Amino acid sequence: MKIAILSRKASLYSTRRLVEVGRERGHEVQVVDTLRCYMNITPHRPEIHYKGEHLTGFDAVIPRIGASITFYGTAVVRQFEMMGVFSVNESVAISRARDKLRSLQLLARRGIGLPVTGYAHSPDDVQDLIEMVGGAPLVIKLLEGTQGIGVVLAETRKAAESVIEAFMGLKANILVQEFIKEARGMDIRCFVVGGKVIAAMKRQAQEGEFRSNLHRGGTAAQIKITPEERSTAVRAAQVMGLNVAGVDILRSNHGPVVMEVNSSPGLEGIEAATGKDVAGAIIEFIEREAKPNHTKTRGKG
Ligand code: ADP
């Protein structure tokens, strides 16, 4: 098969692993820099050009779209879909996952466990918003944040008010969330491929920190998840419409709660912590599923 990996850099671990495994399994694999793709939007024979070359003959595309280029990146994926190329994750699903509020609303609608979460626009509504999510302590998150930056634990109501007002004053989009204290700084990343959890790791925050992000000094190890956690992760990916997803879960007193569903989950941490061949699972999924015009939406938005 001929597979394109949409990625900003061929040297990134996840990209390198997908290239390596794809080639080992006999495929032709090309890394395509998402931001160097340009396209003609036309009803007949939509095309993608890349550094002067016409990209043709691809059976599948693996989108690895960073949060900062979601807008352009999903347009490129959509163009591949319009050309009838199978995309591991469809453009609509990637856009959905990148909108945190929309994602949480979709998951809630399907009865998936979530931390109680609130959202408001006006500083006038902050008091009631804090009530709505059950009061302090609570977690305040910048919607645009990644790697734990912009995630703040407010231990008292006063602290919560100040932080929320400060963020609102800066015109930042935030959400407030019940603090899952009983998780004790541990979260679980479930890596879902084709409706199955193929690897799971726990991330433990360092002493004195509640955020378990590896970038914040957290440590990762393999974990055996419960059947309920497994089905929560699989259902969350399915609700989002993602074939490949990193589902982040906290162990709460009221069962597993989903924090986030990631549409371009990294391979480095999970492969190192679990020893599983995650890249291999993604390539095998493509081998099973990729047929011409097998992308359900064909670029519908
Ligand atoms: P990011 O997307 O920036 O990583 P997250 O929402 O995943 O932000 O939060 C970062 C970390 O903070 C999580 O991995 C988790 O350990 C911790 N955390 C986030 N939300 C909560 C919460 N509601 N209760 C307890 N811990 C939380």
Side-chain angles (χ1 to χ4, degrees):
M1 274 200 260
K2 193 170 163 187
I3 302 171
I5 303 177
L6 279 180
S7 167
R8 293 283 289 132
K9 261 206 212 132
S11 60
L12 296 173
Y13 178 91
S14 303
T15 309
R16 273 194 288 118
R17 282 284 295 138
L18 289 163
V19 170
E20 181 184 287
V21 176
R23 289 185 183 153
E24 259 168 36
R25 297 180 65 93
H27 304 297
E28 188 186 327
V29 186
Q30 184 180 347
V31 178
V32 176
D33 177 355
T34 319
L35 295 185
R36 293 295 305 273
C37 291
Y38 47 103
M39 48 219 147
N40 60 342
I41 300 175
T42 136
H44 308 292
R45 295 193 295 115
E47 292 176 359
I48 298 180
H49 286 218
Y50 180 65
K51 300 181 180 175
E53 162 206 353
H54 181 184
L55 291 183
T56 52
F58 284 96
D59 300 291
V61 56
I62 306 177
R64 304 277 323 162
I65 310 289
S68 61
I69 63 156
T70 302
F71 187 73
Y72 198 80
T74 49
V76 174
V77 177
R78 206 175 303 118
Q79 188 82 353
F80 272 107
E81 291 165 10
M82 287 168 68
M83 289 158 48
V85 179
F86 175 80
S87 182
V88 162
N89 279 336
E90 293 189 2
S91 55
V92 266
I94 299 169
S95 306
R96 216 181 264 143
R98 285 290 154 78
D99 182 337
K100 281 197 191 180
L101 288 179
R102 183 180 178 192
S103 305
L104 292 173
Q105 286 172 322
L106 288 170
L107 296 169
R109 198 162 69 105
R110 300 289 289 271
I112 291 174
L114 303 170
V116 179
T117 305
Y119 183 68
H121 182 76
S122 167
D124 296 341
D125 302 319
V126 167
Q127 298 284 346
D128 197 32
L129 182 70
I130 293 175
E131 280 312 310
M132 274 174 77
V133 300
L138 52 80
V139 176
I140 301 155
K141 295 186 187 182
L142 277 178
L143 287 191
E144 288 80 21
T146 57
Q147 302 175 350
I149 296 166
V151 180
V152 180
L153 172 62
E155 312 228 26
T156 65
R157 192 186 172 97
K158 270 274 151 259
E161 278 170 26
S162 315
V163 176
I164 295 171
E165 279 164 13
F167 278 149
M168 282 180 165
L170 293 169
K171 303 252 173 293
N173 284 310
I174 51 160
L175 54 78
V176 297
Q177 202 162 64
E178 162 195 18
F179 175 50
I180 309 293
K181 190 168 180 227
E182 61 273 23
R184 293 201 201 91
M186 194 258 282
D187 80 348
I188 301 172
R189 158 63 59 96
C190 297
F191 205 107
V192 179
V193 178
K196 287 204 180 84
V197 177
I198 55 127
M201 65 171 167
K202 63 175 173 181
R203 291 175 298 201
Q204 181 67 52
Q206 57 178 217
E207 198 61 36
E209 170 63 67
F210 78 102
R211 296 168 300 176
S212 54
N213 304 71
L214 303 183
H215 291 93
R216 306 266 74 74
T219 48
Q222 186 159 12
I223 188 175
K224 196 168 156 30
I225 55 171
T226 66
E228 196 189 1
E229 286 159 355
R230 190 172 289 276
S231 77
T232 299
V234 168
R235 283 179 55 229
Q238 190 218 347
V239 169
M240 302 302 297
L242 292 168
N243 294 311
V244 170
V247 183
D248 292 341
I249 287 178
L250 292 171
R251 281 186 172 162
S252 84
N253 288 338
H254 45 101
V257 290
V258 173
M259 266 188 309
E260 193 171 23
V261 184
N262 197 312
S263 59
S264 288
L267 304 191
E268 189 165 15
I270 191 102
E271 287 197 338
T274 65
K276 297 260 167 71
D277 180 7
V278 176
I282 295 173
I283 301 293
E284 279 174 33
F285 171 75
I286 293 175
E287 291 167 357
R288 282 200 306 277
E289 296 292 321
K291 297 176 191 80
N293 300 315
H294 209 236
T295 289
K296 276 185 250 134
T297 56
R298 297 219 55 187
K300 252 193 282 174

